[in-house]
Amino acid sequence: MLGERSVKDAVNKAIDSMLMIEREDNRIHVDEVARCLRRSYYDRRERSIPAKERLILMKRSMRINSSQSKEHHLEDLVLIASADTIVDDAVIRFEVVDRLPSTPEPASLIALNASLWIFNKEEGALVYLTRDGDSIQFSLTRDKRLFDETIRRAKVLSMLLKENRVPVFEPSEQCMNCPYYEKCYIQHKRYENPTLERIFGLKRE
Ligand code: SF4
């Protein structure tokens, strides 16, 4: 029988092996390029991934392992998309949130749009759910230009991973909840950018 410590070790090993799925630099998930490339780069390269980020990665890995994942093969790149479910020829993506948004989050739309092309479906829906059971849904018709841009970003991320080069930072509202906030903004203090310091409340030393 496994002791408590052995069970913990076994669970950690299983998690690590799930995360390893995305360690190949030429295999990129659409979720990674729908958001900040720098954040996705750090997710793969950081030795100690913050707990919250680890959960997000696990969720993505579980999506990749599910039967609803599909690969899009390009010359030297594999772009992976996932669908939470496909109903009546439409790809549906679910997001659990604390509060229902009035507009869809761009990163989720970009990832859903890529899924529509990779699963070869015309339409999709993005459904936000709260733990209280409220929901709101947004429909999406696929857009080719947006998919081309997603592929371009995937190529850039793959190239930078291979060359061990950190992508440029992409300031957005997501930065406030990003586990790598200090890496981006504290380091940038030396540039003495008064606008960023005012927006993000950085103090000069
Ligand atoms: S803080 Fe912002 S720019 Fe930096 S990695 Fe996070 S999301 Fe990207």
Side-chain angles (χ1 to χ4, degrees):
M1 200 170 119
L2 289 173
E4 191 184 336
R5 192 181 177 84
S6 301
V7 171
K8 262 189 192 165
D9 287 347
V11 170
N12 282 336
K13 269 188 194 162
I15 291 170
D16 283 346
S17 104
M18 286 168 74
L19 297 179
M20 284 301 287
I21 292 168
E22 299 178 38
R23 297 292 185 202
E24 291 173 52
D25 294 341
N26 67 337
R27 293 174 59 82
I28 305 288
H29 193 275
V30 294
D31 284 358
E32 292 182 283
V33 287
R35 64 178 186 170
C36 171
L37 294 188
R38 190 180 181 106
R39 181 171 178 168
S40 296
Y41 178 94
Y42 283 141
D43 279 348
R44 292 192 180 212
R45 289 289 184 264
E46 284 295 295
R47 287 201 188 138
S48 162
I49 300 173
K52 191 175 167 191
E53 201 65 5
R54 215 168 157 84
L55 276 176
I56 294 169
L57 288 174
M58 279 182 64
K59 189 181 166 199
R60 190 191 308 146
S61 290
M62 284 188 268
R63 275 183 174 164
I64 290 170
N65 284 332
S66 78
S67 57
Q68 303 281 1
S69 283
K70 200 166 176 199
E71 295 181 353
H72 181 64
H73 289 255
L74 298 152
E75 277 173 22
D76 55 352
L77 179 78
V78 180
L79 189 58
I80 307 163
S82 310
D84 290 329
T85 187
I86 299 176
V87 177
D88 292 340
D89 229 26
V91 174
I92 302 180
R93 180 183 173 98
F94 295 101
E95 300 282 356
V96 179
V97 291
D98 294 330
R99 221 176 319 157
L100 295 180
S102 52
T103 55
E105 193 196 341
S108 297
L109 282 181
I110 292 167
L112 177 59
N113 181 65
S115 299
L116 293 181
W117 284 96
I118 294 174
F119 282 92
N120 195 22
K121 304 293 179 195
E122 294 288 333
E123 294 188 343
L126 178 59
V127 182
Y128 288 96
L129 306 162
T130 68
R131 288 176 181 82
D132 296 333
D134 292 333
S135 68
I136 187 169
Q137 97 172 47
F138 301 93
S139 300
L140 180 73
T141 304
R142 68 182 188 176
D143 182 288
K144 182 68 166 66
R145 279 171 54 187
L146 184 57
F147 184 48
D148 289 342
E149 174 62 11
T150 305
I151 291 174
R152 188 194 67 78
R153 284 173 63 80
K155 287 179 177 171
V156 169
L157 179 60
S158 176
M159 179 192 71
L160 293 175
L161 283 164
K162 285 176 190 164
E163 296 176 359
N164 284 317
R165 285 166 53 205
V166 181
V168 294
F169 73 126
E170 301 177 42
S172 74
E173 285 180 8
Q174 307 306 316
C175 295
M176 299 307 287
N177 296 314
C178 176
Y180 310 113
Y181 176 89
E182 290 198 359
K183 278 177 166 293
C184 292
Y185 291 104
I186 305 302
Q187 284 175 7
H188 282 81
K189 278 172 76 176
R190 67 174 180 272
Y191 295 113
E192 296 188 352
N193 186 326
T195 306
L196 284 179
E197 287 177 357
R198 194 171 61 250
I199 292 172
F200 294 101
L202 298 174
K203 289 183 195 159
R204 292 189 187 205
E205 289 174 356

